[in-house]
Amino acid sequence: MKPEKWLFVCIHNSARSQMAEAFMNQLSGGQIVAESAGIEPGKLNPIVVKVMAEIGIDISGNGTKSVFELLNRGKQYDVVVTVCDEASAERCPAFPGLKVKRLHWGFPDPSAIKEGSESERLQKIGIIRDDIRRTIVDYLAQEAQ
């Protein structure tokens, strides 16, 4: 059976969607192939790179990608997951016309954490990282039943 193709989307593809892509590819046992993209691709968040390295996942070589770039290349997905934080009035993207399963897993934006020392920011972003991982683990466990 071919693996499902998933796309994780946030605004800049600099943090949450990158972490979700890495976790899904690591944890799905090859059943899911994940990619990530942003509406307005930014720059990979260096603190996110550090919090992922803390748990042995290297995303330092990842580039940020545009959703439109992927779609213009003819990429197709079975599932699109938005990971933006609507509670903070972030605008989550809509995908009119795409016939895919849509999920929304909202997480706070690590880029919005600017207060405190680097170690304090690492700790706060580590909590977001762990929430993303837990959400994916829970989803995969539920689907396996």
Side-chain angles (χ1 to χ4, degrees):
M1 189 168 107
K2 281 175 62 175
E4 275 191 329
K5 293 181 181 169
W6 282 44
L7 179 63
F8 288 96
V9 179
C10 63
I11 304 303
H12 297 113
N13 189 221
S14 63
R16 294 164 289 190
S17 55
Q18 293 274 351
M19 290 188 281
E21 172 188 0
F23 282 130
M24 186 59 83
N25 285 328
Q26 179 191 54
L27 299 169
S28 70
Q31 299 298 309
I32 295 171
V33 173
E35 289 186 90
S36 65
I39 300 304
E40 304 161 355
K43 208 173 142 199
L44 193 58
N45 184 318
I47 295 183
V48 168
V49 172
K50 286 181 182 178
V51 299
M52 292 301 281
E54 286 177 352
I55 59 167
I57 298 176
D58 180 10
I59 63 168
S60 63
N62 291 11
T64 60
K65 299 172 286 305
S66 158
V67 169
F68 306 107
E69 171 190 323
L70 295 178
L71 296 178
N72 285 340
R73 281 199 256 150
K75 295 266 190 164
Q76 296 187 350
Y77 301 94
D78 302 300
V79 180
V80 173
V81 184
T82 51
V83 293
C84 47
D85 182 12
E86 291 169 321
S88 297
E90 274 191 313
R91 53 191 170 87
C92 272
F95 291 90
L98 284 183
K99 300 212 182 308
V100 300
K101 180 177 180 179
R102 298 164 204 266
L103 300 172
H104 175 70
W105 298 339
F107 302 102
D109 184 0
S111 300
I113 299 172
K114 299 182 186 315
E115 301 293 315
S117 67
E118 182 174 334
S119 69
E120 290 169 329
R121 292 193 323 263
L122 281 166
Q123 183 180 9
K124 289 176 184 174
I125 293 172
I127 292 168
I128 298 168
R129 173 203 62 207
D130 296 345
D131 286 346
I132 292 170
R133 184 182 189 285
R134 190 176 315 105
T135 299
I136 289 171
V137 166
D138 291 349
Y139 178 87
L140 293 171
Q142 180 181 341
E143 289 298 304
Q145 293 179 356

